[in-house]
């Protein structure tokens, strides 16, 4: 083991010799000549943060979150943008003016793209007239002396003001006015045609001498295909995060903070009943969340998710990927619910063991009371980081340049500024993304994971140092224990061990991202060539995923114990991992029996907090504000998942007080017993009473194994 820990972190003389021959020059608990460790990785982490800021500044400079929701008109304006030409801040719905262009773009082998079809931004989708023809005319300019507000008040129709040349051009479907022949519905801020032409409008259009208009189903399917593309759905999911920011603040930060503190207080004062309460509450919450998924999937009740914004024809059904994703999530939640219920039954007989383990942490929290409030510090650090990160995410996903398409379209339209039909401006506009934007997004996502792991690791290390102070002082309120040991441990971390924590969090992040990349490649290869997939290929793929999952779980377990030894010994990450692994291997049966059930209960506790956040997020998103018009979210799936993830992270911060207390006490107890021939010398009486359970015989069995 490299030397007795008691000489390092116990009661030692003012001057002495510690592990590796280091001289001890100042007395007290966990005080010896430390030095900075793993400095290279601290510099790597600092460089990473500089890169994160530079990467995010690119997003803030190039991005516009409006692009995630709203389309572009034929001038390159983003619908709903106050900086457009003209000012279209109230016009959020993209409308395709020429139905023949939509049909042409959907035909096979057509060189005309839907992105080049003439579009403008409106407040709502127009409907055909019951008797006559309604028109939607271009933005008023040139000889059309109307303001944008007057144009809106006239339902975008100034056909009566057109000159004979303009009217003739409009009848040729060249503008500036176009007939409303097909009804349309607002599907995520784009008007999707319903291929059911109004007989009255079509008849009047033909009587006016208008050109033939295709009534093929392609005009419906072509627009729907564009709205329902993978990239469009992903953008809407990201936009949902921005729209539901009040939900994220309440359900992702305030609520889990309150619930986690309440859980810690109940552990402190009502530990005997907390295990049963946690198990029962977990099952109730997972059933409730699953039922909400069933409701939104349309399998229970009459309030399913809809892709249509505002009123629509009840006889017209429009589906989308969002609905399919929600139904897939519902099936997954059902499977998880069944597994969770069966697991709860399996561990019911071992609840008393978990209660005994939690008593250890309750005693520590009672002695070092600052542990309850310490997680608030990393909580606020994470809150500031996530505010920055989510804002940068919205801008990065919407970054890119609005550029005119390079098309070979053969079309003409009336230009009000030139006061004539022009065939030079047929190409539309699109947001063009360069490959480096994808790399920037991946780096941004990795940065979030590493930063989160780093902050959680720092919190765990501080808690471990505080609990070690309690243990190696024999559990007494001794003058040798530093005043406010939590802050003493925080000072040691900041001065000596930030590099070690950066290395530990980086290792976990890299392994997790290797899993993510391999899984993405596996799915992509499956889509590219499904015929070449054979039994051997599936076996290799599944085995690699399983192995990486096991490695990830093992590293997380080793890291957690390594952070404890870093807090106690001040050693580097690799050396601390070696010490921790040696203790675990020598005491695997004892640690497993005492700790595994406790870890399960703590995991269920974290899930209780996160599931309650998800349930409350469902309730908030089910209000009128998020189901209509401007603030409508495409699906509750992403906001609920983000609230669940944030709730779990916050719960992890606070539950680490209990988790790290148990692990630190057990590792310290095993090392203490190993140094003193099976009789722990530094364990306080209350701790020995809790771990003993059945008297001296049970203690001997615990410390020496079977």
């Amino acid at each position: 083991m490299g030397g007795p820990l008691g000489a390092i972190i116990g009661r030692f003389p003012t001057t002495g010799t510690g592990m590796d021959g280091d001289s001890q020059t100042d007395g007290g608990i966990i005080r010896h000549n430390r030095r900075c460790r793993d400095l290279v990785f601290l510099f790597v982490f600092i460089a990473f943060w500089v890169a994160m800021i530079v990467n995010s500044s690119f997003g803030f400079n190039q991005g516009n979150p409006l692009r995630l929701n709203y389309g572009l008109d034929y001038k390159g304006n983003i619908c709903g943008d106050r900086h457009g030409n003209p000012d279209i801040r109230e016009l959020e719905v993209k409308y395709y003016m020429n139905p023949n262009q939509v049909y042409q773009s959907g035909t096979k082998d057509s060189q005309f793209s839907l992105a080049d079809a003439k579009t403008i931004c409106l407040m709502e989708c127009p409907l055909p007239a019951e008797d006559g023809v309604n028109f939607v005319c271009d933005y008023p300019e040139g000889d059309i002396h109307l303001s944008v507000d007057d144009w809106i008040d006239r339902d975008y129709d100034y056909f009566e003001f057109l000159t004979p040349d303009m009217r003739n051009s409009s009848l040729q479907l060249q503008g500036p006015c176009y007939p409303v022949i097909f009804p349309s519905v607002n599907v995520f801020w784009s008007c999707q045609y319903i291929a059911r032409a109004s007989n009255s409008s079509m008849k009047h259009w033909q009587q006016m001498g208008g050109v033939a208009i295709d009534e093929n189903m392609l005009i419906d399917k072509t627009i729907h295909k564009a709205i329902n593309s993978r990239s469009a759905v992903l953008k809407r999911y990201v936009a949902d995060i921005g729209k539901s920011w009040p939900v994220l603040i309440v359900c992702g930060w305030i609520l889990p903070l309150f619930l986690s503190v309440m859980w810690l207080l109940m552990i402190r004062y009502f530990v005997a009943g907390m295990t049963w309460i946690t198990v029962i509450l977990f099952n109730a919450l997972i059933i409730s969340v699953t039922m909400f998924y069933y409701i939104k999937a349309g399998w229970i009740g009459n309030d399913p998710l809809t892709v249509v914004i505002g009123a629509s024809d009840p006889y017209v059904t429009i589906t989308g990927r969002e609905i399919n994703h929600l139904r897939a999530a519902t099936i997954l939640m059902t499977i998880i619910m069944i597994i969770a219920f069966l697991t709860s039954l399996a561990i019911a007989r071992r609840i008393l063991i978990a209660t005994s383990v939690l008593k250890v942490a309750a005693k520590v929290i009672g002695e070092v009371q600052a542990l309850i409030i310490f997680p608030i510090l990393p909580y606020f650090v994470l809150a500031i980081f996530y505010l920055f990160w989510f804002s940068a995410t919205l801008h990065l996903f919407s970054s890119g340049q609005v550029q005119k398409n390079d098309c070979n379209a053969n079309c003409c339209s009336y230009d009000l500024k030139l006061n004539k039909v022009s065939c030079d401006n047929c190409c539309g506009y699109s947001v063009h993304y360069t490959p480096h934007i994808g790399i920037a997004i991946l780096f941004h996502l990795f940065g979030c994971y590493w930063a989160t792991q780093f902050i959680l690791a720092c919190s765990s290390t501080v808690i471990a140092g505080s609990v070690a102070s309690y243990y190696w002082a024999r559990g007494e309120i001794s003058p040798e224990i530093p005043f406010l040991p939590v802050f003493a441990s925080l000072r040691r971390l900041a001065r000596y061990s930030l590099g070690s924590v950066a290395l530990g969090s980086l290792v976990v992040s890299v392994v997790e991202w290797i899993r993510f990349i391999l899984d993405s490649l596996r799915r992509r290869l499956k889509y590219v060539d499904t015929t070449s997939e054979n039994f051997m290929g599936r076996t290799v793929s599944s085995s690699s995923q399983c192995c990486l999952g096991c490695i990830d779980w093992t590293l997380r377990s080793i890291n957690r114990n390594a952070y404890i030894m870093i807090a106690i010994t001040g050693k580097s990450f690799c050396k601390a991992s070696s010490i921790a692994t040696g203790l675990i291997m020598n005491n695997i049966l004892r640690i497993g029996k005492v700790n595994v059930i406790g870890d399960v209960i703590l995991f269920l506790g974290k899930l209780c907090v996160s599931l309650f956040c998800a349930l409350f997020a469902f309730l908030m998103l089910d209000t009128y504000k998020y189901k209509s018009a401007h603030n409508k979210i495409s699906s509750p799936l992403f906001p609920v998942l983000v609230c669940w993830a944030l709730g779990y992270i916050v719960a992890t911060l606070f539950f680490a007080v209990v988790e790290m207390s148990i692990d630190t006490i057990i590792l310290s107890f095993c090392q203490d017993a190993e140094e003193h021939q099976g009789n722990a010398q530094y364990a306080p009486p209350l701790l020995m009473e809790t771990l003993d359970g059945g008297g001296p015989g049970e203690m001997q069995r615990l410390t020496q194994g079977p």
Side-chain angles (χ1 to χ4, degrees):
M1 298 302 298
L5 293 181
I8 295 179
I9 59 180
R11 302 169 183 270
F12 47 78
T14 301
T15 303
T17 302
M19 188 181 299
D20 300 332
D22 293 340
S23 63
Q24 313 293 350
T25 58
D26 62 336
I29 306 301
I30 318 184
R31 293 182 181 176
H32 61 290
N33 284 344
R34 298 188 178 218
R35 58 189 177 90
C36 296
R37 307 285 185 175
D38 299 314
L39 279 177
V40 172
F41 293 96
L42 178 59
F43 293 139
V44 170
F45 187 71
I46 293 172
F48 149 76
W49 261 103
V50 172
M52 276 283 288
I53 294 173
V54 172
N55 189 57
S56 300
S57 65
F58 165 78
F60 286 121
N61 183 48
Q62 297 290 331
N64 185 344
L66 287 176
R67 298 173 188 165
L68 298 174
N69 262 331
Y70 308 117
L72 303 176
D73 66 9
Y74 76 96
K75 291 186 173 185
N77 298 316
I78 303 172
C79 293
D81 189 0
R82 66 180 63 190
H83 302 297
N85 180 26
D87 184 355
I88 51 176
R89 71 183 69 188
E90 297 179 353
L91 309 177
E92 300 176 340
V93 182
K94 179 179 178 179
Y95 178 69
Y96 295 88
M97 303 180 74
N98 190 337
N100 279 359
Q101 288 184 341
V102 175
Y103 169 77
Q104 182 183 353
S105 66
T107 57
K108 189 176 181 180
D109 300 328
S110 173
Q111 296 183 352
F112 188 82
S113 170
L114 184 65
D116 298 318
K118 189 161 187 176
T119 57
I120 61 172
C121 303
L122 308 177
M123 291 186 69
E124 56 187 16
C125 296
L127 295 174
E130 294 182 1
D131 185 16
V133 181
N134 288 337
F135 286 89
V136 171
C137 301
D138 200 352
Y139 302 123
E141 54 187 355
D143 291 340
I144 305 299
H145 302 294
L146 288 175
S147 67
V148 173
D149 290 337
D150 292 336
W151 173 65
I152 295 174
D153 291 339
R154 295 180 59 85
D155 291 333
Y156 326 107
D157 186 353
Y158 51 74
F159 185 80
E160 60 183 281
F161 299 143
L162 299 184
T163 64
D165 288 342
M166 293 180 182
R167 290 197 176 199
N168 183 61
S169 173
S170 297
L171 292 174
Q172 299 301 313
L173 286 181
Q174 294 179 345
C177 294
Y178 295 82
V180 181
I181 303 297
F182 298 95
S184 58
V185 293
N186 184 351
V187 179
F188 296 131
W189 297 276
S190 287
C191 292
Q192 178 177 323
Y193 284 135
I194 298 175
R196 190 177 60 203
S198 167
N199 293 330
S200 174
S201 296
M202 182 67 81
K203 179 179 178 181
H204 280 81
W205 171 255
Q206 292 170 349
Q207 290 175 350
M208 293 172 66
V211 298
I213 294 178
D214 292 299
E215 302 181 50
N216 195 284
M217 284 291 294
L218 278 177
I219 67 167
D220 182 327
K221 295 180 179 179
T222 302
I223 297 178
H224 182 73
K225 182 179 179 180
I227 296 173
N228 207 36
S229 66
R230 288 190 178 92
S231 60
V233 172
L234 177 60
K235 289 179 182 178
R236 288 196 293 269
Y237 279 154
V238 176
D240 289 342
I241 304 301
K243 289 184 177 183
S244 58
W245 64 265
V247 178
L248 301 186
I249 291 176
V250 173
C251 301
W253 289 111
I254 299 176
L255 186 60
L257 171 65
F258 172 77
L259 294 175
S260 298
V261 172
M262 288 297 298
W263 199 89
L264 285 181
L265 290 175
M266 292 185 71
I267 282 289
R268 170 69 182 90
Y269 297 105
F270 191 55
V271 65
M274 277 307 296
T275 50
W276 289 107
I277 292 174
T278 300
V279 173
I280 294 172
L281 189 60
F282 166 72
N283 284 279
L285 285 171
I286 197 170
I287 291 173
S288 301
V289 171
T290 303
M291 290 302 103
F292 258 101
Y293 273 105
Y294 271 90
I295 291 172
K296 288 303 165 184
W299 292 339
I300 293 180
N302 55 359
D303 186 27
L305 176 68
T306 175
V307 299
V308 177
I309 300 174
S312 63
D313 189 338
Y315 296 102
V316 176
T317 302
I318 300 177
T319 61
R321 289 183 186 270
E322 288 87 351
I323 297 176
N324 296 333
H325 294 166
L326 197 61
R327 289 175 176 172
T330 303
I331 296 173
L332 179 62
M333 282 299 299
T334 303
I335 297 172
I336 294 174
M337 179 183 67
I338 295 172
I339 295 174
F341 181 74
L342 295 176
T343 304
S344 300
L345 293 178
I347 68 172
R349 297 180 59 184
R350 298 183 176 270
I351 292 295
L352 293 179
I353 299 177
T355 303
S356 177
V357 173
L358 292 178
K359 284 181 180 179
V360 176
K363 294 177 186 297
V364 176
I365 295 172
E367 295 291 348
V368 190
Q369 297 183 3
L371 285 174
I372 295 180
I373 62 173
F374 164 72
I376 294 178
L377 177 61
Y379 166 85
F380 279 110
V381 174
L382 268 179
I384 294 171
F385 167 70
Y386 279 133
L387 285 175
F388 161 78
W389 188 84
F390 277 119
S391 178
T393 299
L394 292 174
H395 285 82
L396 277 173
F397 270 90
S398 61
S399 58
Q401 294 184 347
V402 177
Q403 297 178 355
K404 197 173 185 66
N405 298 330
D406 183 14
C407 66
N408 298 318
N410 182 19
C411 62
C412 302
S413 63
Y414 199 95
D415 191 322
L416 288 172
K417 288 185 177 180
L418 299 177
N419 202 24
K420 66 176 184 178
V421 175
S422 173
C423 299
D424 298 329
N425 296 312
C426 284
C427 298
Y429 286 81
S430 300
V431 180
H432 292 263
Y433 299 94
T434 56
H436 74 271
I437 294 178
I439 297 174
I441 291 174
L442 289 176
F443 178 80
H444 191 67
L445 294 174
F446 174 79
C448 175
Y449 195 83
W450 188 11
T452 301
Q453 291 297 320
F454 178 81
I455 295 172
L456 292 176
C458 286
S459 178
S460 298
T461 305
V462 171
I463 293 169
S466 306
V467 175
S469 296
Y470 162 82
Y471 179 88
W472 295 99
R474 303 180 188 274
E476 303 168 0
I477 303 299
S478 166
E480 294 184 30
I481 295 183
F483 180 71
L484 295 178
V486 171
F487 295 100
S489 180
L490 178 61
R491 184 177 65 250
R492 290 193 298 272
L493 168 71
R495 186 173 179 182
Y496 300 112
S497 303
L498 284 178
S500 300
V501 172
L503 173 57
S505 56
L506 176 62
V507 169
V508 173
S509 301
V510 169
V511 172
E512 192 67 31
W513 270 82
I514 290 174
R515 289 181 62 195
F516 171 76
I517 293 172
L518 289 178
D519 191 54
S520 299
L521 289 175
R522 180 180 60 82
R523 288 198 303 268
R524 179 162 295 186
L525 290 174
K526 184 176 180 180
Y527 281 120
V528 170
D529 187 8
T530 57
T531 59
S532 62
E533 187 176 6
N534 52 31
F535 175 77
M536 183 61 69
R538 290 194 299 269
T539 302
V540 172
S541 176
S542 301
S543 300
S544 63
Q545 289 294 313
C546 181
C547 290
L548 283 172
C550 293
I551 292 173
D552 182 54
W553 180 87
T554 304
L555 283 175
R556 287 176 183 274
S557 178
I558 292 175
N559 276 14
R560 193 169 68 184
N561 291 287
Y563 296 144
I564 295 172
M565 303 314 296
I566 288 171
I568 294 175
T569 67
K571 294 297 180 181
S572 66
F573 174 78
C574 294
K575 183 65 175 179
S577 299
S578 175
I579 296 173
T581 303
L583 280 174
I584 293 172
M585 295 306 296
N586 290 340
N587 302 275
I588 188 68
L589 295 179
R590 320 170 217 167
I591 292 177
K593 180 168 183 178
V594 175
N595 205 18
V596 169
I597 299 298
D599 282 347
V600 171
I601 295 299
L602 290 172
F603 178 65
L604 293 182
K606 297 174 192 177
L607 290 180
C608 283
V609 172
S610 57
L611 285 171
F612 197 94
C613 294
L615 181 61
F616 206 78
F618 260 126
L619 293 174
M620 290 187 67
L621 293 170
D622 203 37
T623 57
Y624 178 79
K625 177 180 179 180
Y626 298 105
K627 295 170 69 175
S628 61
H630 178 77
N631 287 314
K632 177 179 171 65
I633 60 171
S634 64
S635 170
L637 185 61
F638 255 48
V640 168
L641 286 177
V642 171
C643 286
W644 178 88
L646 291 176
Y648 189 85
I649 291 171
V650 173
T652 300
L653 272 178
F654 284 85
F655 282 43
V657 172
V658 178
E659 198 167 20
M660 295 303 291
S661 295
I662 294 172
D663 289 346
T664 304
I665 286 291
I666 289 177
L667 277 180
S668 299
F669 182 82
C670 291
Q671 176 63 29
D672 190 9
E674 190 171 299
E675 290 179 9
H676 298 95
Q677 291 76 45
N679 296 314
Q681 297 295 313
Y682 288 92
L686 291 177
L687 174 63
M688 293 185 67
E689 180 183 344
T690 302
L691 290 178
D692 191 354
E698 178 67 15
M699 172 64 74
Q700 187 74 12
R701 187 196 62 77
L702 177 64
T703 57
Q704 294 188 353

